[in-house]
Coordinates of all heavy atoms in Angstrom, one line a residue:
M1 N 3.5 -63.2 -69.3 CA 4.5 -62.1 -68.8 C 6.0 -62.5 -68.9 O 6.2 -63.6 -68.5 CB 4.0 -61.6 -67.4 CG 4.8 -60.4 -67.1 SD 4.2 -59.8 -65.5 CE 5.3 -60.9 -64.4
A2 N 6.7 -61.7 -69.4 CA 8.1 -61.9 -69.5 C 8.8 -62.0 -68.1 O 8.2 -61.3 -67.1 CB 8.8 -60.8 -70.4
I3 N 9.9 -62.7 -68.0 CA 10.6 -62.8 -66.7 C 11.6 -61.5 -66.8 O 12.3 -61.5 -67.8 CB 11.3 -64.2 -66.6 CG1 10.3 -65.3 -66.6 CG2 12.2 -64.0 -65.3 CD1 11.0 -66.6 -66.6
F4 N 11.6 -60.7 -65.8 CA 12.4 -59.6 -65.7 C 13.4 -59.8 -64.6 O 13.1 -60.4 -63.6 CB 11.7 -58.3 -65.6 CG 11.0 -57.8 -66.9 CD1 9.7 -58.0 -67.2 CD2 11.9 -57.1 -67.8 CE1 9.2 -57.4 -68.4 CE2 11.5 -56.6 -69.0 CZ 10.1 -56.8 -69.3
P5 N 14.4 -59.0 -64.6 CA 15.5 -58.9 -63.5 C 14.7 -58.3 -62.3 O 13.8 -57.6 -62.4 CB 16.5 -58.1 -63.9 CG 16.5 -58.2 -65.3 CD 15.1 -58.3 -65.7
E6 N 15.2 -58.5 -61.1 CA 14.6 -57.9 -59.9 C 15.4 -56.7 -59.6 O 16.6 -56.7 -59.7 CB 14.8 -58.9 -58.8 CG 14.0 -60.2 -58.9 CD 14.3 -61.2 -57.9 OE1 15.2 -61.0 -57.0 OE2 13.6 -62.3 -58.0
I7 N 14.7 -55.6 -59.2 CA 15.4 -54.4 -59.0 C 15.1 -54.0 -57.5 O 14.0 -53.9 -57.0 CB 14.9 -53.2 -59.8 CG1 15.0 -53.6 -61.4 CG2 15.5 -52.0 -59.5 CD1 14.5 -52.7 -62.2
D8 N 16.2 -53.7 -56.7 CA 16.1 -53.3 -55.4 C 16.2 -51.8 -55.4 O 17.2 -51.2 -55.4 CB 17.3 -53.9 -54.5 CG 17.1 -53.5 -53.1 OD1 16.3 -52.6 -52.7 OD2 17.9 -54.0 -52.2
L9 N 15.0 -51.2 -55.4 CA 15.0 -49.6 -55.5 C 15.5 -48.9 -54.3 O 16.0 -47.8 -54.6 CB 13.4 -49.4 -55.7 CG 12.7 -49.9 -56.8 CD1 11.2 -49.6 -56.8 CD2 13.3 -49.3 -58.0
S10 N 15.9 -49.6 -53.2 CA 16.5 -48.9 -52.1 C 18.1 -48.7 -52.5 O 18.7 -47.9 -51.9 CB 16.4 -49.7 -50.8 OG 17.0 -51.0 -50.8
K11 N 18.5 -49.4 -53.4 CA 20.0 -49.3 -53.8 C 20.1 -48.5 -55.1 O 21.2 -48.1 -55.5 CB 20.5 -50.7 -54.1 CG 20.6 -51.6 -52.9 CD 21.3 -52.9 -53.3 CE 21.4 -53.7 -52.0 NZ 22.0 -55.1 -52.5
C12 N 19.0 -48.1 -55.8 CA 19.0 -47.4 -57.0 C 19.2 -45.9 -56.8 O 18.5 -45.4 -56.1 CB 17.8 -47.6 -57.9 SG 17.6 -46.8 -59.4
D13 N 20.3 -45.4 -57.5 CA 20.6 -44.0 -57.4 C 20.1 -43.3 -58.7 O 20.4 -42.0 -58.8 CB 22.0 -43.7 -57.1 CG 23.0 -44.1 -58.2 OD1 22.4 -44.6 -59.3 OD2 24.1 -44.0 -58.2
G14 N 19.4 -43.9 -59.6 CA 19.0 -43.2 -60.8 C 19.9 -42.8 -61.8 O 19.6 -42.0 -62.5
C15 N 21.0 -43.6 -61.9 CA 22.0 -43.1 -62.9 C 21.7 -43.4 -64.3 O 22.1 -42.7 -65.2 CB 23.3 -43.9 -62.5 SG 23.2 -45.8 -62.9
G16 N 20.7 -44.3 -64.5 CA 20.2 -44.6 -65.8 C 21.0 -45.5 -66.7 O 20.6 -45.8 -67.9
L17 N 22.1 -46.0 -66.2 CA 22.9 -46.9 -67.1 C 22.1 -48.2 -67.6 O 22.3 -48.6 -68.7 CB 24.2 -47.3 -66.3 CG 25.3 -46.2 -66.1 CD1 26.4 -46.8 -65.2 CD2 25.8 -45.9 -67.5
C18 N 21.4 -48.7 -66.6 CA 20.6 -50.0 -67.1 C 19.7 -49.5 -68.2 O 19.5 -50.4 -69.0 CB 19.9 -50.5 -65.9 SG 18.7 -49.3 -65.1
V19 N 19.2 -48.4 -68.1 CA 18.1 -48.1 -69.3 C 18.9 -48.0 -70.6 O 18.3 -48.5 -71.6 CB 17.4 -46.8 -68.9 CG1 16.5 -46.4 -70.0 CG2 16.7 -46.9 -67.7
T20 N 20.1 -47.4 -70.6 CA 20.8 -47.3 -71.9 C 21.3 -48.5 -72.4 O 21.5 -48.6 -73.6 CB 22.0 -46.3 -71.7 OG1 22.9 -46.9 -70.8 CG2 21.5 -44.9 -71.1
V21 N 21.5 -49.6 -71.6 CA 22.1 -50.8 -72.2 C 21.0 -51.9 -72.5 O 21.3 -52.9 -73.2 CB 23.0 -51.5 -71.2 CG1 24.2 -50.6 -70.9 CG2 22.4 -52.0 -69.9
C22 N 19.8 -51.6 -72.1 CA 18.7 -52.5 -72.3 C 18.0 -52.3 -73.8 O 17.3 -51.5 -74.1 CB 17.5 -52.3 -71.5 SG 16.2 -53.6 -71.6
E23 N 18.5 -53.1 -74.7 CA 18.1 -53.0 -76.1 C 16.6 -53.2 -76.3 O 16.0 -52.5 -77.2 CB 19.0 -53.9 -77.0 CG 20.4 -53.5 -77.1 CD 21.1 -54.2 -78.2 OE1 20.4 -54.8 -79.1 OE2 22.3 -54.2 -78.3
P24 N 16.0 -54.1 -75.7 CA 14.5 -54.3 -75.9 C 13.7 -53.2 -75.3 O 12.4 -53.1 -75.5 CB 14.2 -55.7 -75.2 CG 15.4 -56.3 -75.0 CD 16.5 -55.3 -74.9
G25 N 14.4 -52.2 -74.5 CA 13.5 -51.2 -73.9 C 12.7 -51.7 -72.7 O 11.7 -51.1 -72.5
G26 N 13.2 -52.6 -72.1 CA 12.6 -53.1 -70.8 C 12.5 -52.4 -69.6 O 11.9 -52.6 -68.6
L27 N 13.4 -51.3 -69.6 CA 13.5 -50.5 -68.4 C 13.4 -49.1 -68.6 O 13.7 -48.6 -69.8 CB 15.0 -50.7 -67.8 CG 15.4 -52.1 -67.4 CD1 16.8 -52.2 -67.2 CD2 14.6 -52.5 -66.1
I28 N 12.8 -48.2 -67.8 CA 12.5 -46.9 -67.9 C 12.9 -46.2 -66.6 O 12.8 -46.7 -65.6 CB 11.2 -46.5 -68.4 CG1 10.3 -47.0 -67.4 CG2 10.9 -46.9 -69.8 CD1 8.7 -46.5 -67.7
L29 N 13.3 -44.9 -66.7 CA 13.6 -44.1 -65.5 C 12.3 -43.2 -65.3 O 11.7 -42.7 -66.1 CB 14.8 -43.0 -65.8 CG 16.1 -43.5 -65.4 CD1 17.0 -42.4 -65.8 CD2 16.3 -44.0 -64.0
V30 N 11.9 -43.4 -64.1 CA 10.7 -42.6 -63.6 C 11.1 -42.0 -62.3 O 12.2 -42.1 -61.8 CB 9.5 -43.4 -63.5 CG1 9.0 -43.9 -64.9 CG2 9.7 -44.6 -62.6
D31 N 10.1 -41.2 -61.7 CA 10.5 -40.5 -60.5 C 10.5 -41.4 -59.2 O 11.2 -41.5 -58.3 CB 9.6 -39.2 -60.2 CG 9.9 -38.1 -61.3 OD1 11.2 -38.1 -61.7 OD2 9.0 -37.4 -61.6
D32 N 9.4 -42.1 -59.2 CA 9.2 -43.0 -58.1 C 8.2 -44.1 -58.4 O 7.0 -44.1 -58.7 CB 8.4 -42.2 -57.0 CG 8.2 -43.0 -55.7 OD1 8.9 -43.9 -55.5 OD2 7.4 -42.6 -54.9
P33 N 8.8 -45.4 -58.5 CA 10.2 -45.6 -58.2 C 11.2 -45.1 -59.2 O 10.7 -44.8 -60.3 CB 10.1 -47.2 -58.1 CG 9.1 -47.5 -59.1 CD 8.0 -46.6 -59.0
I34 N 12.4 -45.1 -58.9 CA 13.4 -44.5 -59.9 C 13.6 -45.2 -61.1 O 13.6 -44.7 -62.2 CB 14.8 -44.4 -59.1 CG1 14.7 -43.6 -57.9 CG2 15.8 -43.8 -60.1 CD1 15.9 -43.7 -57.0
V35 N 13.6 -46.6 -61.0 CA 13.6 -47.4 -62.3 C 12.3 -48.3 -62.2 O 12.0 -48.8 -61.3 CB 14.8 -48.3 -62.2 CG1 14.7 -49.3 -63.5 CG2 16.1 -47.4 -62.5
A36 N 11.8 -48.4 -63.4 CA 10.6 -49.3 -63.6 C 10.7 -50.3 -64.6 O 11.5 -50.0 -65.6 CB 9.3 -48.5 -63.6
I37 N 10.1 -51.3 -64.6 CA 10.1 -52.3 -65.6 C 8.9 -52.2 -66.6 O 7.9 -51.9 -66.1 CB 10.1 -53.7 -65.1 CG1 11.4 -54.1 -64.3 CG2 9.8 -54.8 -66.2 CD1 11.5 -55.3 -63.6
V38 N 9.2 -52.2 -67.8 CA 8.0 -52.0 -68.9 C 7.5 -53.5 -69.0 O 8.2 -54.3 -69.8 CB 8.6 -51.4 -70.2 CG1 7.5 -51.3 -71.2 CG2 9.3 -50.1 -70.0
E39 N 6.3 -53.5 -68.5 CA 5.8 -55.1 -68.5 C 5.6 -55.5 -70.0 O 5.6 -56.7 -70.0 CB 4.5 -55.1 -67.6 CG 4.7 -54.8 -66.3 CD 5.5 -55.9 -65.5 OE1 5.7 -57.0 -66.0 OE2 5.9 -55.7 -64.3
T40 N 5.3 -54.6 -70.9 CA 5.0 -55.1 -72.2 C 6.3 -55.4 -73.0 O 6.2 -55.8 -74.1 CB 4.0 -54.1 -72.9 OG1 4.7 -52.8 -72.9 CG2 2.8 -54.0 -72.2
A41 N 7.4 -54.9 -72.5 CA 8.6 -55.0 -73.3 C 9.1 -56.6 -73.2 O 8.7 -57.3 -72.3 CB 9.7 -54.2 -72.9
I42 N 9.9 -56.9 -74.1 CA 10.4 -58.2 -74.1 C 11.9 -58.3 -73.5 O 12.8 -57.5 -74.1 CB 10.6 -59.0 -75.4 CG1 9.1 -59.0 -76.0 CG2 11.2 -60.3 -75.5 CD1 9.0 -59.5 -77.5
C43 N 12.1 -59.1 -72.5 CA 13.4 -59.1 -72.0 C 14.1 -60.3 -72.6 O 13.5 -61.4 -72.6 CB 13.3 -59.4 -70.4 SG 14.9 -59.7 -69.5
D44 N 15.4 -60.1 -73.1 CA 16.0 -61.3 -73.6 C 17.1 -61.9 -72.7 O 17.9 -62.6 -73.2 CB 16.7 -60.8 -75.1 CG 17.8 -59.7 -74.8 OD1 18.2 -59.5 -73.6 OD2 18.2 -59.1 -75.8
W45 N 17.0 -61.5 -71.4 CA 17.7 -62.2 -70.5 C 19.3 -62.0 -70.7 O 20.1 -62.8 -70.4 CB 17.4 -63.7 -70.3 CG 16.0 -63.9 -70.1 CD1 15.2 -63.4 -69.2 CD2 15.2 -64.5 -71.1 NE1 13.9 -63.8 -69.5 CE2 13.8 -64.4 -70.8 CE3 15.4 -65.1 -72.4 CZ2 12.8 -65.0 -71.4 CZ3 14.4 -65.6 -73.0 CH2 13.0 -65.5 -72.6
C46 N 19.7 -60.9 -71.3 CA 21.1 -60.7 -71.6 C 21.9 -60.3 -70.3 O 23.2 -60.5 -70.3 CB 21.3 -59.5 -72.6 SG 20.8 -57.8 -71.9
A47 N 21.2 -59.9 -69.3 CA 21.8 -59.6 -67.9 C 22.8 -58.4 -68.0 O 23.6 -58.1 -67.1 CB 22.6 -60.9 -67.3
D48 N 22.7 -57.7 -69.1 CA 23.6 -56.3 -69.3 C 23.3 -55.4 -68.2 O 24.1 -54.7 -67.7 CB 23.4 -55.8 -70.6 CG 24.0 -56.6 -71.7 OD1 24.8 -57.5 -71.4 OD2 23.8 -56.2 -72.9
C49 N 21.9 -55.4 -67.8 CA 21.6 -54.3 -66.8 C 22.2 -54.7 -65.4 O 22.6 -53.8 -64.7 CB 20.1 -54.3 -66.6 SG 19.3 -55.8 -66.3
E50 N 22.3 -56.0 -65.1 CA 22.8 -56.5 -63.8 C 24.3 -56.1 -63.9 O 24.9 -55.6 -62.9 CB 22.6 -58.0 -63.6 CG 23.3 -58.4 -62.4 CD 23.1 -59.9 -62.2 OE1 23.3 -60.5 -63.2 OE2 22.7 -60.4 -61.2
A51 N 24.9 -56.3 -65.0 CA 26.4 -56.1 -65.1 C 26.8 -54.7 -65.1 O 27.8 -54.3 -64.5 CB 26.9 -56.7 -66.4
V52 N 26.0 -53.8 -65.5 CA 26.3 -52.4 -65.7 C 25.9 -51.5 -64.3 O 26.4 -50.5 -64.1 CB 25.7 -51.7 -66.9 CG1 24.2 -51.5 -66.6 CG2 26.6 -50.4 -67.3
C53 N 25.1 -52.1 -63.5 CA 24.7 -51.3 -62.5 C 25.7 -51.1 -61.4 O 26.2 -52.0 -60.8 CB 23.4 -52.0 -61.8 SG 22.7 -51.1 -60.3
P54 N 26.0 -49.9 -61.1 CA 27.2 -49.7 -60.1 C 26.9 -49.9 -58.7 O 27.7 -49.9 -57.9 CB 27.5 -48.1 -60.5 CG 26.2 -47.5 -60.9 CD 25.5 -48.7 -61.7
T55 N 25.5 -49.9 -58.4 CA 25.2 -50.0 -57.1 C 24.7 -51.5 -56.6 O 24.3 -51.7 -55.5 CB 24.1 -49.1 -56.6 OG1 22.9 -49.4 -57.4 CG2 24.5 -47.6 -57.0
G56 N 24.7 -52.3 -57.6 CA 24.2 -53.7 -57.3 C 22.7 -53.8 -57.2 O 22.3 -54.7 -56.3
A57 N 22.0 -52.8 -57.7 CA 20.5 -52.9 -57.4 C 19.8 -53.9 -58.3 O 18.6 -54.2 -58.0 CB 20.0 -51.5 -57.8
I58 N 20.4 -54.3 -59.4 CA 19.6 -55.3 -60.2 C 20.2 -56.8 -60.2 O 21.3 -56.9 -60.0 CB 19.8 -54.8 -61.7 CG1 19.2 -53.4 -61.8 CG2 19.1 -55.7 -62.6 CD1 19.2 -52.9 -63.3
R59 N 19.3 -57.7 -60.0 CA 19.7 -59.0 -59.9 C 19.0 -59.8 -60.9 O 17.6 -59.8 -60.8 CB 19.4 -59.5 -58.4 CG 19.8 -60.9 -58.2 CD 19.6 -61.4 -56.8 NE 19.5 -62.8 -56.7 CZ 18.5 -63.5 -56.6 NH1 17.3 -63.0 -56.6 NH2 18.5 -64.9 -56.6
C60 N 19.6 -60.5 -61.7 CA 19.0 -61.4 -62.6 C 18.8 -62.7 -62.0 O 19.8 -63.5 -61.8 CB 19.7 -61.5 -64.0 SG 19.8 -59.9 -64.8
A61 N 17.6 -63.1 -61.6 CA 17.4 -64.3 -60.8 C 17.1 -65.4 -61.5 O 16.4 -66.4 -61.1 CB 16.1 -63.9 -59.9
Y62 N 17.6 -65.5 -62.7 CA 17.5 -66.8 -63.6 C 19.1 -67.2 -63.9 O 20.0 -66.4 -63.8 CB 16.8 -66.5 -64.8 CG 17.2 -65.2 -65.5 CD1 18.2 -65.0 -66.4 CD2 16.2 -64.2 -65.3 CE1 18.5 -63.8 -66.9 CE2 16.5 -62.9 -65.9 CZ 17.7 -62.8 -66.7 OH 17.9 -61.6 -67.3
E63 N 19.1 -68.4 -64.2 CA 20.4 -69.1 -64.5 C 20.5 -69.5 -65.9 O 19.6 -70.1 -66.3 CB 20.6 -70.2 -63.5 CG 21.9 -71.0 -63.7 CD 22.1 -72.1 -62.8 OE1 21.0 -72.4 -62.0 OE2 23.1 -72.8 -62.7
I64 N 21.6 -69.1 -66.5 CA 21.6 -69.5 -67.9 C 22.4 -70.9 -68.0 O 23.5 -71.0 -67.5 CB 22.5 -68.4 -68.7 CG1 21.6 -67.2 -68.8 CG2 22.7 -68.9 -70.2 CD1 22.4 -65.9 -69.5
V65 N 21.8 -71.8 -68.6 CA 22.4 -73.2 -68.8 C 22.8 -73.4 -70.1 O 21.8 -73.4 -71.0 CB 21.4 -74.1 -68.1 CG1 22.0 -75.5 -68.3 CG2 21.1 -73.9 -66.6
F66 N 24.1 -73.7 -70.4 CA 24.4 -74.1 -71.8 C 24.1 -75.6 -72.0 O 24.5 -76.5 -71.3 CB 25.9 -73.8 -72.0 CG 26.1 -72.3 -71.9 CD1 26.5 -71.7 -70.8 CD2 26.0 -71.4 -73.0 CE1 26.8 -70.3 -70.6 CE2 26.2 -70.1 -73.0 CZ 26.7 -69.5 -71.9
D67 N 23.5 -75.8 -73.3 CA 23.2 -77.1 -73.7 C 24.4 -77.6 -74.5 O 24.5 -77.1 -75.7 CB 21.9 -77.2 -74.5 CG 21.5 -78.5 -74.8 OD1 22.3 -79.5 -74.7 OD2 20.3 -78.7 -75.2
N68 N 25.2 -78.5 -74.1 CA 26.4 -78.9 -74.9 C 26.1 -80.2 -75.8 O 26.9 -81.0 -75.8 CB 27.6 -79.1 -73.9 CG 28.0 -78.1 -73.1 OD1 28.1 -77.0 -73.7 ND2 28.2 -78.1 -71.9
V69 N 25.0 -80.2 -76.2 CA 24.7 -81.4 -77.2 C 25.5 -81.3 -78.4 O 25.7 -80.3 -79.0 CB 23.1 -81.4 -77.6 CG1 23.0 -82.3 -78.6 CG2 22.4 -81.5 -76.3
Ligands
SF4_1 S1 18.3 -58.5 -68.8 FE1 18.8 -57.3 -70.6 S2 16.9 -57.3 -71.8 FE2 16.4 -57.8 -69.8 S3 15.9 -56.0 -68.6 FE3 18.1 -56.4 -68.3 S4 19.2 -55.2 -70.1 FE4 17.0 -55.5 -70.6
SF4_2 S1 22.0 -48.9 -63.3 FE1 21.4 -49.4 -61.2 S2 21.7 -47.6 -60.0 FE2 21.6 -47.0 -62.2 S3 19.4 -46.5 -62.6 FE3 19.8 -48.7 -63.1 S4 19.1 -49.8 -61.2 FE4 19.4 -47.7 -60.6

């Protein structure tokens, strides 16, 4: 299973911005919960959804480490 960002649904107002920026289609808008993760989609860990969310509902709980070899 892919690693996805964590969504705090109590902070989500359903604006849909995260859905529009997610190129792999890993997020969808539904009624309840407001935003759901598509488990079969591939998350490329771009963190765009976290950056665009105006309410801070999305948290990418992974750390990107650059290999300076
Ligand atoms: S981190 Fe990127 S690919 Fe993953 S769910 Fe968010 S927008 Fe989509
Ligand atoms: S961008 Fe944030 S507030 Fe808007 S639908 Fe996505 S999780 Fe909810």
Side-chain angles (χ1 to χ4, degrees):
M1 189 179 80
I3 300 172
F4 278 101
E6 297 169 357
I7 302 174
D8 183 346
L9 295 174
S10 68
K11 294 181 180 176
C12 176
D13 65 6
C15 71
L17 286 174
C18 57
V19 177
T20 62
V21 299
C22 183
E23 291 195 14
L27 302 165
I28 57 170
L29 272 180
V30 293
D31 290 333
D32 184 20
I34 299 173
V35 171
I37 291 170
V38 181
E39 295 288 350
T40 54
I42 296 173
C43 174
D44 63 11
W45 313 293
C46 66
D48 286 350
C49 55
E50 181 184 44
V52 78
C53 179
T55 65
I58 301 184
R59 176 174 167 267
C60 292
Y62 40 80
E63 181 179 2
I64 297 173
V65 178
F66 292 96
D67 186 347
N68 294 318
V69 174

